[in-house]
C-alpha cells in the first residue's frame, strides 16, 4: 500500500482526505491519504519524516507552504517564482521535488467551465497566498493583463510583482475586466461581497476561490447580472487532480472528487 499525506494546521476540516481517497478508490488504487496536524515551523521535520517513512506523496497547506519550499531538494517551475509548495513528489532517486498545483488547478477549473484565460484582461481581488498562485498561473496561461486589487496596498504591490503581466489595479479595473477573481476570504461562511455588485457586467466571467458556501454572495450577484460564474470547489478539485497525476502518473476522475466534496460540504451545513 502507498501512503500519501497532508500536512497543515489546522487540518481537521480539510476536504482533501475525502477527495483523494474517493479518487484512489474509484481508480482501484491501493493508496490511502491521511492528514497530519503539524505545528507551525515544523515543515522541515515533516519532510524528513516523509523521506524516512517513504510517503508516496505529500500535500502541504497553511502555514507550511513557504517553509516546505525551502526544505525540498528542488522546485518545479510552478513553485519557483512563488517560493511556495503545496505538493511534494518523491522522485525514484529519493529527491523531493516541490510543486504548486493551486494556480494551475484554478486555471483548469476555468477551462473546465469553458473559459480560456489566454488574452483576457483579469482583475484579481486579494493578494494573499492563494491570490499569488492564481496571478502566477494566469500570467503563465497567457492572460493579457492581471490587475491586482487589494485592501492593503503594499501586499497588492508585492503580489502583482509575481507576474510580468501583473500590476496594481483599482475598482475601475474590476468593472473593465473580462475575468474577475475573488481571491480574498471575503464571503467565507458569510454573505459579504468583496466588491460592490454594481461593478459587475453581464459579459464578465466571475470566479470565486471561496467555496463555503459554494454559491457565494459574489457568485449570486454575478449570476443575477448574467455573468458566467465559476465556484471555488473547481480549484480545490483540480489542484488535487494535478497532485494525483504527479504522484501516480495517472489523471484521476475530477467528477468523483467533486461529488464527494459536495457531499461533504452538504453534510457540514
Ligand atoms: P491569506 O493569505 O490570508 O489572504 C487573504 C486575502 O484576503 C488578503 O488579500 C486580505 O487582504 C484579503 N482580505 C481578508 N479579509 C478582508 C476583508 N474583510 N476585506 C478585504 N480584503 C480582505 O489567505 P489565502 O490563503 O490567500 O486564501 C484566501 C481565500 O482563498 C480563503 O477564503 C481560502 O479559503 C480560499 N482558498 C481557496 C482555495 C481553493 O482551492 N478554492 C485554495 C486556497 C485558498 P489584506 O492583504 O489587506 O489583509
Amino acid at each position: 500500500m502507498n501512503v500519501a499525506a497532508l500536512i497543515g494546521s489546522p487540518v481537521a476540516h480539510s476536504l482533501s482526505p475525502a477527495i483523494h481517497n474517493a479518487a484512489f478508490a474509484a481508480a482501484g488504487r491501493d493508496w490511502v491519504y491521511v492528514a497530519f496536524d503539524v505545528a507551525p515551523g515544523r515543515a522541515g521535520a515533516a519532510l524528513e519524516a516523509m523521506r524516512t517513512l517513504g510517503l508516496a506523496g505529500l500535500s502541504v497547506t497553511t502555514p507550511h507552504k513557504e517553509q516546505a519550499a525551502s526544505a525540498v531538494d528542488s522546485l518545479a517551475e510552478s513553485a519557483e517564482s512563488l517560493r511556495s509548495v503545496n505538493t511534494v513528489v518523491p522522485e525514484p532517486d529519493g529527491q523531493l521535488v516541490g510543486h504548486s498545483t493551486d494556480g494551475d488547478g484554478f486555471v483548469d477549473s476555468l477551462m473546465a467551465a469553458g473559459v480560456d484565460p489566454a488574452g483576457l484582461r483579469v482583475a484579481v481581488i486579494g493578494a494573499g497566498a492563494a491570490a499569488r498562485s492564481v496571478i502566477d498561473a494566469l500570467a503563465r496561461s497567457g492572460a493579457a493583463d492581471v490587475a491586482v486589487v487589494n485592501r492593503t496596498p503594499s501586499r497588492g504591490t508585492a503580489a502583482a510583482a509575481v507576474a510580468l503581466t501583473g500590476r496594481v489595479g483599482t475598482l475601475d479595473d474590476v468593472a473593465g475586466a473580462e475575468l474577475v477573481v475573488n481571491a480574498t476570504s471575503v464571503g467565507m461562511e458569510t454573505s459579504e461581497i468583496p466588491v460592490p455588485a454594481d461593478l459587475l457586467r453581464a459579459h464578465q466571467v466571475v470566479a470565486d476561490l471561496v467555496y463555503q458556501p459554494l454559491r457565494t454572495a459574489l457568485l449570486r450577484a454575478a449570476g443575477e447580472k448574467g455573468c458566467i460564474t465559476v465556484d471555488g470547489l473547481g480549484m480545490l478539485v483540480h489542484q488535487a487532480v494535478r497532485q494525483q497525476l504527479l504522484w501516480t502518473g495517472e489523471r484521476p476522475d475530477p467528477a468523483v472528487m467533486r461529488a464527494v466534496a459536495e457531499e461533504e460540504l452538504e453534510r457540514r451545513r
Side-chain angles (χ1 to χ4, degrees), residues 160-171:
V162 163
L164 277 179
T165 42
R167 64 178 175 86
V168 173
T170 66
L171 289 180

Side-chain angles (χ1 to χ4, degrees), residues 10-209:
V11 289
H13 296 293
S14 171
L15 293 174
S16 293
I19 290 175
H20 280 294
N21 285 321
F24 287 145
R29 223 175 270 292
D30 194 16
W31 283 59
V32 66
Y33 184 100
V34 289
F36 293 111
D37 198 311
V38 171
R42 301 288 291 159
L47 261 71
E48 272 316 297
M50 178 184 186
R51 294 182 205 270
T52 308
L53 298 172
L55 297 183
L58 193 73
S59 305
V60 181
T61 190
T62 313
H64 300 307
K65 289 181 178 180
E66 283 73 30
Q67 205 189 346
S70 308
V72 290
D73 298 310
S74 61
L75 292 174
E77 188 202 353
S78 60
E80 207 151 22
S81 60
L82 294 171
R83 308 294 303 174
S84 170
V85 157
N86 83 329
T87 310
V88 183
V89 180
E91 295 296 329
D93 62 1
Q95 298 276 298
L96 297 182
V97 181
H99 299 250
S100 177
T101 66
D102 284 329
D104 290 327
F106 172 71
V107 170
D108 291 345
S109 77
L110 290 178
M111 298 294 261
V115 178
D116 183 344
L120 295 187
R121 287 190 314 279
V122 188
V124 174
I125 309 153
R132 293 162 71 97
S133 67
V134 162
I135 293 162
D136 173 61
L138 284 169
R140 284 189 286 104
S141 303
D145 176 47
V146 183
V148 180
V149 182
N150 193 51
R151 176 180 60 179
T152 308
S154 58
R155 292 190 82 203
T157 306
V162 163
L164 277 179
T165 42
R167 64 178 175 86
V168 173
T170 66
L171 289 180
D172 286 344
D173 292 300
V174 174
E178 292 158 296
L179 167 62
V180 177
V181 184
N182 175 37
T184 73
S185 44
V186 177
M188 171 118 138
E189 288 171 354
T190 70
S191 53
E192 286 171 325
I193 186 161
V195 286
D198 60 11
L199 293 177
L200 303 176
R201 306 282 180 265
H203 68 272
Q204 292 177 320
V205 177
V206 178
D208 206 332
L209 267 52

